[in-house]
Amino acid sequence: MNAPSDLQATLDPSRKSWVESANDSSNDFSIQNLPFGVFSDALNATRRVGVAIGESIVDLAVLESAGLLTLPTSGAGDSVFVRDALNDFIALGRDAWRGVRIQLSKLLSRDNATLREDAELRSRALIRQADAQLHLPVQIPGYTDFYSSKEHATNVGSMFRDPKNALLPNWSEMPIGYNGRASSVVVSGTPVRRPNGQLKLPDQERPVFGACRKLDIELETGFVIGAGNALGEPVACADAEAHIFGMVLLNDWSARDIQQWEYVPLGPFNAKTFATTISPWIVTLDALEPFRVAQPAQEPQPLAYLRHDGEHAFDITLEVKLRPQQANQASTISRTNFKHMYWTMAQQVAHHTVSGCNTRVGDLMGSGTISGPTEDSFGSLLELTWNGKKPLELQEGGTRSFIEDGDELTLAGWCQGEGYRVGFGACVGEILPALK
Amino acid sequence: MNAPSDLQATLDPSRKSWVESANDSSNDFSIQNLPFGVFSDALNATRRVGVAIGESIVDLAVLESAGLLTLPTSGAGDSVFVRDALNDFIALGRDAWRGVRIQLSKLLSRDNATLREDAELRSRALIRQADAQLHLPVQIPGYTDFYSSKEHATNVGSMFRDPKNALLPNWSEMPIGYNGRASSVVVSGTPVRRPNGQLKLPDQERPVFGACRKLDIELETGFVIGAGNALGEPVACADAEAHIFGMVLLNDWSARDIQQWEYVPLGPFNAKTFATTISPWIVTLDALEPFRVAQPAQEPQPLAYLRHDGEHAFDITLEVKLRPQQANQASTISRTNFKHMYWTMAQQVAHHTVSGCNTRVGDLMGSGTISGPTEDSFGSLLELTWNGKKPLELQEGGTRSFIEDGDELTLAGWCQGEGYRVGFGACVGEILPALK
């Protein structure tokens, strides 16, 4: 077991690293962060587990074999760090995650000489991010997407249903969610091809087949299940956060025209299944602890199975940038915050499992589009341009109603501490033209 | 490569087996069938791949190690037959499936003495089904459920929307589908716990939490992807059947009251995610070939990406039985046929991937509820009792509007050949009371 004081020390804002780039208060990967990912590099094509620190990655397998990193259950056989996904490490449980966090925080501290002064080991254990390739961090057995921003649900309801009754009655009673497609979740940097599909044009009786004309983003976060639950055994809301390993940024690419034609009555399908992009680093809930804030007041009071005491939102600044193919400069098209979300991650887990549905290590749960209260804080172009009626002026590259071929979309997110940042790194995708 | 004549010979109706129980024309597992599954038994708890024949199972790993079964790519290391799922075998490709089918058909033929006369090997290679435990046959990376019965969609639309415009306009243009929850797909025989959830009662303003009061089945078939497609590379309708390994029976348990309250606008979630039951044996498309028939006429003509020449439906008799806990006798509550389905499996694959969505070996695709044209051929209690308004009279155990605790529901399905049957075995689930 890890001492609570050791875990608390990993959050000390005054702790600095001998990896100097980590001490820059605008670098996502401070020593307080220590997010987990999977990487390879030109010298070693084997995919393995790493932790981001400043502009570098720590190779956990190297530290483990050097005896500097021990796991509570060091099984026989291969290291859980020499894997193409984090699942086996995550499955060791929260004590293991915390133990690694505590040990890494010490090893990377400015006042710790062990690794700092061992040039040979350091050269093997630290890889520059610029030299590494980042891969999908987890093998995802199931992907669920929620719809938990009141502002987003209200905006969409206003546009497509009834502005006077924009929010459906069930929305305020439960974190509405639906099953997504896990196979097409890709890591940041993977190009995304514009989908073809059925489009129902207003002036034609029958749909036509063609490339999506209303391609959109959805600015979301996702969380990764760290401890599953057995079929038939719901997770109580008060226990739910212990089932969460950490968070990522998530872009739920959406083909609005395909969606509008297909989604009644069984929900979005082809409009979403062509790609979902996540950021490569999983930021643990432990690292996010200092940024815990109160969720919005919930009225009506949720049913008992959705109640929890205390604060369950997190203060995470989020932004979206769009860079046209020929432009040097990206335009920030949205800036918002995760703390606006009405339903919490804990409530999402409790609702997901209340029927007895099981979850598994590595399951990904999307927040739903995160829209803030102001027009410049909406999390989709659908809302930002009000379904194309109010095109956005970019700083360079013209205007946008929806995404054009060659556009590069980047989500960013971070918590700003005193002199340090706990950030997610970028979640990027460039749009390729549709297949002919 | 396998000779077409050898493959054709496996379908010869006159071929009989020395496993005499396979020659009974009412036994699902004739020598023309040879479906694949995963089993273990009391003597050997290791899960391994088997093929059903009459009342027995052939242990493929035993035959392989005896040199009687060879695979085109016999890699080093463990046998693909000593696995807890069929995925690795399926991933070898259609030539491998067909090669095994051809070899088994010969080995089990009445006129082949090799295994028949080797008592020692036969005692190791043949296990009585009654002595075996059957497991989920595939590890399922993704589960999609379609909605492809015109009669079912019309019935549901009549009940819940508008009897005059029961079928939504998109229904006739595409095989509507949605993502299901793969984690809770269970094998036949697994008890199913009645889910709790939010129920919106007509006389109350707010929902209450409680046990589902309208628990239902959906009689479906499913098919298993045998060859995936890469992200961004759609499968053409004409090629789609080559991506299908085989079919199962599928019971898409549904909590109608939870569903009605939650499903707008993103589709069913908790109403379906608590359990989906499939039959343990995967019947290959090769075995179903003699039962290929024409699909219903499609009007309007589908868009080009959904067109295929020839016959793509299959004549599979389906039935549902319900046995109350205290009853000795089960009542047949529905009898229908898979051939009524409007959209074909090939069209479902083409539509699923047209956006570029990738599929993977082991993916499960449900047909949607299979309802026939007459009132006794509907595939759900919702339709059979018209949302509880016309309770069913059971032969023993009273009446049913929806499923009661202790009820055992059994789906069965088979193709009837001349003197032989290609059947699926049972797809059974008994309902346990909800958690308090």
Side-chain angles (χ1 to χ4, degrees), chain A residues 186-247:
Chain A
V186 296
V187 74
S188 175
T190 309
V192 172
R193 194 168 284 287
R194 179 183 298 272
N196 288 312
Q198 290 198 17
L199 317 174
K200 180 71 168 62
L201 306 178
D203 57 342
Q204 294 190 16
E205 197 177 329
R206 289 195 58 195
V208 296
F209 179 79
C212 166
R213 301 172 188 191
K214 290 188 171 182
L215 186 59
D216 200 359
I217 55 152
E218 291 196 342
L219 166 63
E220 302 193 15
T221 58
F223 64 87
V224 174
I225 292 292
N229 66 297
L231 189 63
E233 298 179 11
V235 176
C237 200
D239 303 332
E241 281 180 4
H243 287 257
I244 300 175
F245 176 66
M247 292 179 70

Coordinates of all heavy atoms in Angstrom, one line a residue, chain A residues 186-247:
Chain A
V186 N -9.2 6.4 -32.9 CA -7.8 6.5 -33.3 C -7.1 7.5 -32.5 O -7.7 8.4 -31.8 CB -7.8 6.9 -34.8 CG1 -8.4 5.8 -35.7 CG2 -8.4 8.3 -35.1
V187 N -5.8 7.4 -32.5 CA -5.0 8.3 -31.7 C -4.7 9.6 -32.5 O -4.8 9.7 -33.7 CB -3.6 7.6 -31.3 CG1 -2.7 7.5 -32.5 CG2 -3.0 8.4 -30.1
S188 N -4.6 10.7 -31.7 CA -4.2 12.0 -32.2 C -3.2 11.9 -33.3 O -2.2 11.2 -33.2 CB -3.7 12.9 -31.1 OG -3.3 14.1 -31.6
G189 N -3.4 12.6 -34.4 CA -2.4 12.6 -35.5 C -2.9 11.7 -36.7 O -2.4 11.9 -37.8
T190 N -3.8 10.8 -36.4 CA -4.3 10.0 -37.5 C -5.2 10.8 -38.4 O -6.1 11.4 -38.0 CB -5.1 8.8 -36.9 OG1 -4.4 8.2 -35.9 CG2 -5.5 7.8 -38.0
P191 N -4.9 10.8 -39.7 CA -5.8 11.6 -40.6 C -7.2 11.0 -40.7 O -7.3 9.7 -40.5 CB -5.1 11.4 -42.0 CG -3.7 10.9 -41.7 CD -3.8 10.2 -40.4
V192 N -8.2 11.8 -40.9 CA -9.5 11.3 -40.9 C -10.1 11.6 -42.2 O -10.1 12.7 -42.7 CB -10.3 12.1 -39.8 CG1 -11.8 11.8 -39.9 CG2 -9.8 11.7 -38.4
R193 N -10.7 10.6 -42.8 CA -11.2 10.7 -44.2 C -12.7 11.1 -44.1 O -13.5 10.6 -43.3 CB -11.1 9.4 -44.9 CG -11.4 9.5 -46.4 CD -11.0 8.3 -47.2 NE -9.6 8.1 -47.4 CZ -8.9 8.8 -48.2 NH1 -9.4 9.8 -49.0 NH2 -7.6 8.6 -48.4
R194 N -13.1 12.1 -44.8 CA -14.5 12.6 -44.9 C -15.3 11.4 -45.3 O -15.1 10.8 -46.3 CB -14.6 13.7 -45.9 CG -16.0 14.3 -46.1 CD -16.0 15.4 -47.1 NE -15.2 16.5 -46.7 CZ -15.6 17.6 -46.0 NH1 -16.8 17.6 -45.6 NH2 -14.7 18.5 -45.7
P195 N -16.4 11.1 -44.6 CA -17.2 10.0 -44.9 C -18.2 10.2 -46.1 O -18.6 11.4 -46.3 CB -18.0 9.7 -43.6 CG -18.1 11.1 -43.0 CD -16.8 11.8 -43.3
N196 N -18.5 9.2 -46.8 CA -19.6 9.2 -47.7 C -20.8 8.6 -47.0 O -20.7 7.9 -46.0 CB -19.3 8.3 -48.9 CG -18.3 8.9 -49.8 OD1 -18.4 10.1 -50.2 ND2 -17.3 8.1 -50.2
G197 N -22.0 8.9 -47.5 CA -23.1 8.3 -46.9 C -24.4 8.9 -47.5 O -24.3 9.5 -48.6
Q198 N -25.5 8.6 -46.9 CA -26.8 9.0 -47.5 C -27.1 10.4 -46.9 O -27.1 10.7 -45.7 CB -27.9 8.1 -47.0 CG -27.9 6.7 -47.7 CD -29.2 6.0 -47.6 OE1 -30.3 6.6 -47.3 NE2 -29.1 4.7 -47.9
L199 N -27.4 11.3 -47.9 CA -27.8 12.7 -47.6 C -29.2 12.9 -48.1 O -29.5 12.6 -49.2 CB -26.8 13.6 -48.3 CG -25.3 13.3 -48.2 CD1 -24.5 14.2 -49.1 CD2 -24.8 13.3 -46.8
K200 N -30.0 13.6 -47.2 CA -31.3 13.9 -47.7 C -31.4 15.4 -47.9 O -31.3 16.2 -47.0 CB -32.3 13.5 -46.6 CG -33.8 13.7 -46.9 CD -34.3 12.8 -48.0 CE -35.8 12.9 -48.1 NZ -36.3 14.2 -48.4
L201 N -31.4 15.8 -49.2 CA -31.4 17.2 -49.5 C -32.8 17.7 -49.5 O -33.8 17.0 -49.8 CB -30.8 17.4 -50.9 CG -29.4 16.8 -51.0 CD1 -28.9 17.0 -52.5 CD2 -28.4 17.3 -50.0
P202 N -33.0 18.9 -49.0 CA -34.4 19.4 -48.8 C -35.2 19.4 -50.1 O -36.4 19.3 -50.0 CB -34.2 20.8 -48.2 CG -32.8 21.2 -48.5 CD -32.0 19.9 -48.6
D203 N -34.6 19.6 -51.2 CA -35.4 19.7 -52.5 C -35.6 18.4 -53.2 O -36.1 18.4 -54.3 CB -34.7 20.7 -53.4 CG -33.2 20.3 -53.7 OD1 -32.7 19.5 -53.0 OD2 -32.7 20.8 -54.7
Q204 N -35.2 17.3 -52.6 CA -35.3 16.0 -53.3 C -36.1 15.1 -52.4 O -36.0 15.0 -51.2 CB -33.9 15.5 -53.6 CG -33.2 16.3 -54.6 CD -32.0 15.7 -55.2 OE1 -31.8 14.5 -55.0 NE2 -31.1 16.5 -55.8
E205 N -36.9 14.2 -53.1 CA -37.7 13.3 -52.4 C -36.9 12.1 -51.7 O -37.2 11.7 -50.6 CB -38.8 12.7 -53.3 CG -40.0 12.1 -52.6 CD -41.0 11.6 -53.6 OE1 -41.1 12.3 -54.7 OE2 -41.7 10.6 -53.4
R206 N -35.9 11.7 -52.5 CA -35.1 10.6 -52.0 C -33.7 11.0 -51.6 O -33.2 12.0 -52.1 CB -35.1 9.5 -53.1 CG -36.4 8.7 -53.2 CD -36.2 7.5 -54.0 NE -35.3 6.5 -53.4 CZ -34.7 5.5 -54.0 NH1 -35.0 5.2 -55.2 NH2 -33.9 4.7 -53.3
P207 N -33.1 10.3 -50.8 CA -31.7 10.6 -50.4 C -30.7 10.4 -51.6 O -31.0 9.6 -52.5 CB -31.3 9.7 -49.3 CG -32.2 8.5 -49.5 CD -33.5 9.0 -50.1
V208 N -29.6 11.1 -51.6 CA -28.5 10.8 -52.5 C -27.3 10.3 -51.8 O -27.2 10.4 -50.6 CB -28.1 12.1 -53.3 CG1 -29.3 12.6 -54.1 CG2 -27.6 13.2 -52.3
F209 N -26.5 9.6 -52.5 CA -25.2 9.1 -51.9 C -24.1 10.1 -52.3 O -24.0 10.5 -53.4 CB -24.9 7.7 -52.5 CG -23.6 7.2 -52.0 CD1 -23.6 6.6 -50.7 CD2 -22.4 7.3 -52.7 CE1 -22.4 6.1 -50.2 CE2 -21.2 6.8 -52.2 CZ -21.2 6.2 -50.9
G210 N -23.3 10.4 -51.3 CA -22.2 11.3 -51.5 C -21.4 11.7 -50.3 O -21.7 11.1 -49.2
A211 N -20.4 12.6 -50.5 CA -19.6 13.0 -49.4 C -20.3 13.9 -48.4 O -21.1 14.7 -48.9 CB -18.3 13.7 -49.9
C212 N -20.1 13.7 -47.2 CA -20.7 14.5 -46.1 C -20.4 16.0 -46.4 O -19.3 16.4 -46.8 CB -20.1 14.1 -44.8 SG -20.3 15.3 -43.5
R213 N -21.4 16.8 -46.3 CA -21.2 18.3 -46.6 C -21.2 19.1 -45.3 O -21.0 20.3 -45.3 CB -22.4 18.8 -47.5 CG -22.4 18.1 -48.8 CD -23.7 18.4 -49.6 NE -23.8 17.6 -50.8 CZ -24.7 17.8 -51.8 NH1 -25.5 18.8 -51.7 NH2 -24.7 17.0 -52.8
K214 N -21.5 18.4 -44.2 CA -21.6 19.1 -42.9 C -20.8 18.4 -41.9 O -21.3 17.8 -40.9 CB -23.0 19.2 -42.4 CG -23.9 20.2 -43.2 CD -25.3 20.3 -42.6 CE -26.1 21.4 -43.2 NZ -27.4 21.7 -42.5
L215 N -19.5 18.3 -42.2 CA -18.5 17.6 -41.3 C -18.2 18.5 -40.1 O -17.9 19.7 -40.2 CB -17.3 17.2 -42.1 CG -16.3 16.3 -41.3 CD1 -16.9 15.0 -40.9 CD2 -15.1 16.1 -42.2
D216 N -18.2 17.9 -38.9 CA -18.1 18.7 -37.7 C -17.2 17.9 -36.7 O -17.0 16.7 -36.8 CB -19.6 18.8 -37.1 CG -19.7 20.0 -36.1 OD1 -18.7 20.7 -35.9 OD2 -20.8 20.2 -35.6
I217 N -16.8 18.7 -35.7 CA -16.2 18.2 -34.5 C -17.2 18.1 -33.4 O -18.2 18.8 -33.4 CB -15.0 19.1 -34.0 CG1 -15.5 20.5 -33.8 CG2 -13.9 19.0 -35.0 CD1 -14.7 21.2 -32.8
E218 N -16.8 17.3 -32.4 CA -17.4 17.5 -31.0 C -16.3 17.5 -30.0 O -15.6 16.6 -29.9 CB -18.5 16.4 -30.7 CG -19.7 16.5 -31.6 CD -20.9 15.8 -31.1 OE1 -20.8 14.8 -30.3 OE2 -22.0 16.1 -31.6
L219 N -16.2 18.7 -29.4 CA -15.2 18.8 -28.3 C -15.6 18.1 -27.1 O -16.7 18.4 -26.5 CB -15.0 20.3 -28.0 CG -14.3 20.6 -26.7 CD1 -12.8 20.2 -26.7 CD2 -14.3 22.2 -26.4
E220 N -14.9 17.0 -26.7 CA -15.3 16.2 -25.6 C -14.0 15.8 -24.8 O -12.9 15.9 -25.3 CB -16.0 14.9 -26.0 CG -17.2 15.1 -26.9 CD -18.0 13.8 -27.0 OE1 -17.8 12.8 -26.3 OE2 -18.9 13.8 -27.9
T221 N -14.3 15.4 -23.6 CA -13.3 14.6 -22.9 C -13.8 13.2 -22.8 O -15.0 12.9 -23.1 CB -13.0 15.1 -21.4 OG1 -14.3 15.1 -20.7 CG2 -12.5 16.5 -21.4
G222 N -12.9 12.3 -22.5 CA -13.3 10.9 -22.3 C -12.6 10.4 -21.0 O -11.6 10.9 -20.6
F223 N -13.2 9.4 -20.4 CA -12.4 8.7 -19.3 C -12.3 7.2 -19.6 O -13.1 6.7 -20.4 CB -13.0 9.0 -18.0 CG -14.4 8.5 -17.7 CD1 -14.6 7.3 -17.2 CD2 -15.5 9.4 -17.9 CE1 -15.9 6.8 -16.9 CE2 -16.8 8.9 -17.7 CZ -17.0 7.7 -17.2
V224 N -11.3 6.7 -19.0 CA -10.9 5.3 -19.3 C -11.2 4.5 -18.0 O -10.8 4.9 -16.9 CB -9.5 5.1 -19.7 CG1 -9.0 3.7 -19.8 CG2 -9.2 5.9 -21.0
I225 N -12.0 3.4 -18.1 CA -12.3 2.5 -17.0 C -11.0 1.8 -16.5 O -10.3 1.2 -17.3 CB -13.4 1.5 -17.4 CG1 -14.7 2.3 -17.6 CG2 -13.5 0.5 -16.3 CD1 -15.3 2.9 -16.4
G226 N -10.7 2.0 -15.2 CA -9.6 1.3 -14.6 C -9.9 0.0 -13.9 O -9.0 -0.8 -13.7
A227 N -11.1 -0.1 -13.4 CA -11.6 -1.3 -12.7 C -13.0 -1.5 -13.2 O -13.9 -0.7 -13.0 CB -11.5 -1.1 -11.2
G228 N -13.2 -2.7 -13.8 CA -14.5 -3.0 -14.4 C -15.5 -3.4 -13.3 O -15.1 -3.5 -12.1
N229 N -16.7 -3.7 -13.7 CA -17.7 -4.4 -12.8 C -18.3 -5.6 -13.5 O -18.4 -5.6 -14.7 CB -18.8 -3.4 -12.4 CG -19.6 -2.9 -13.6 OD1 -19.1 -2.3 -14.5 ND2 -20.9 -3.3 -13.5
A230 N -18.6 -6.5 -12.7 CA -19.2 -7.8 -13.2 C -20.6 -7.6 -13.7 O -21.3 -6.7 -13.2 CB -19.1 -8.9 -12.2
L231 N -21.0 -8.4 -14.7 CA -22.4 -8.3 -15.2 C -23.4 -8.6 -14.1 O -23.2 -9.5 -13.3 CB -22.5 -9.4 -16.3 CG -23.8 -9.4 -17.1 CD1 -24.0 -8.1 -17.9 CD2 -23.9 -10.6 -18.0
G232 N -24.4 -7.7 -14.0 CA -25.4 -7.8 -12.9 C -25.0 -7.1 -11.6 O -25.8 -7.2 -10.7
E233 N -23.8 -6.5 -11.6 CA -23.4 -5.8 -10.3 C -23.1 -4.3 -10.5 O -22.0 -3.9 -10.8 CB -22.1 -6.5 -9.8 CG -22.4 -8.0 -9.4 CD -21.2 -8.7 -8.9 OE1 -20.1 -8.0 -8.6 OE2 -21.2 -9.9 -8.8
P234 N -24.1 -3.5 -10.4 CA -24.0 -2.1 -10.6 C -22.9 -1.4 -9.7 O -22.7 -1.9 -8.6 CB -25.4 -1.5 -10.2 CG -26.3 -2.7 -10.4 CD -25.5 -3.9 -10.0
V235 N -22.4 -0.3 -10.2 CA -21.4 0.4 -9.4 C -22.2 1.6 -8.7 O -22.9 2.3 -9.4 CB -20.3 1.0 -10.3 CG1 -19.4 1.9 -9.5 CG2 -19.6 -0.1 -11.0
A236 N -22.1 1.7 -7.4 CA -22.7 2.8 -6.7 C -22.1 4.1 -7.1 O -20.9 4.2 -7.3 CB -22.7 2.6 -5.2
C237 N -22.9 5.2 -7.1 CA -22.4 6.5 -7.5 C -21.2 6.9 -6.6 O -20.2 7.5 -7.1 CB -23.5 7.5 -7.5 SG -23.2 9.0 -8.4
A238 N -21.3 6.6 -5.3 CA -20.2 7.1 -4.4 C -18.9 6.3 -4.6 O -17.9 6.8 -4.3 CB -20.7 6.8 -3.0
D239 N -19.0 5.1 -5.2 CA -17.8 4.4 -5.5 C -17.3 4.6 -6.9 O -16.2 4.0 -7.3 CB -18.1 2.9 -5.3 CG -18.6 2.5 -4.0 OD1 -18.3 3.2 -3.0 OD2 -19.4 1.5 -3.9
A240 N -18.0 5.3 -7.7 CA -17.7 5.2 -9.2 C -16.3 5.8 -9.5 O -15.7 5.3 -10.4 CB -18.8 6.0 -9.9
E241 N -15.9 6.8 -8.9 CA -14.6 7.4 -9.3 C -13.4 6.4 -9.1 O -12.4 6.5 -9.8 CB -14.3 8.7 -8.6 CG -15.1 9.9 -9.2 CD -14.8 11.2 -8.5 OE1 -14.0 11.3 -7.5 OE2 -15.5 12.2 -8.8
A242 N -13.6 5.5 -8.2 CA -12.5 4.5 -8.0 C -12.4 3.6 -9.2 O -11.4 2.8 -9.3 CB -12.7 3.7 -6.7
H243 N -13.4 3.6 -10.1 CA -13.4 2.7 -11.3 C -12.7 3.4 -12.5 O -12.6 2.9 -13.5 CB -14.8 2.3 -11.6 CG -15.3 1.3 -10.7 ND1 -15.4 -0.1 -11.0 CD2 -15.8 1.4 -9.4 CE1 -15.9 -0.8 -10.0 NE2 -16.2 0.1 -9.0
I244 N -12.3 4.7 -12.3 CA -11.8 5.5 -13.4 C -10.3 5.6 -13.3 O -9.8 6.0 -12.3 CB -12.5 6.9 -13.4 CG1 -14.0 6.8 -13.5 CG2 -11.9 7.8 -14.5 CD1 -14.7 8.1 -13.4
F245 N -9.6 5.2 -14.4 CA -8.2 5.4 -14.4 C -7.8 6.8 -14.7 O -6.9 7.4 -14.0 CB -7.6 4.4 -15.5 CG -6.1 4.5 -15.7 CD1 -5.2 4.2 -14.7 CD2 -5.6 5.0 -16.9 CE1 -3.9 4.3 -14.8 CE2 -4.2 5.1 -17.1 CZ -3.4 4.8 -16.0
G246 N -8.3 7.4 -15.7 CA -7.9 8.7 -16.1 C -8.7 9.3 -17.3 O -9.6 8.6 -17.7
M247 N -8.3 10.4 -17.7 CA -9.0 11.1 -18.7 C -8.2 11.5 -20.0 O -7.0 11.6 -19.9 CB -9.6 12.5 -18.2 CG -10.6 12.3 -17.1 SD -11.2 13.9 -16.5 CE -12.1 14.6 -17.9

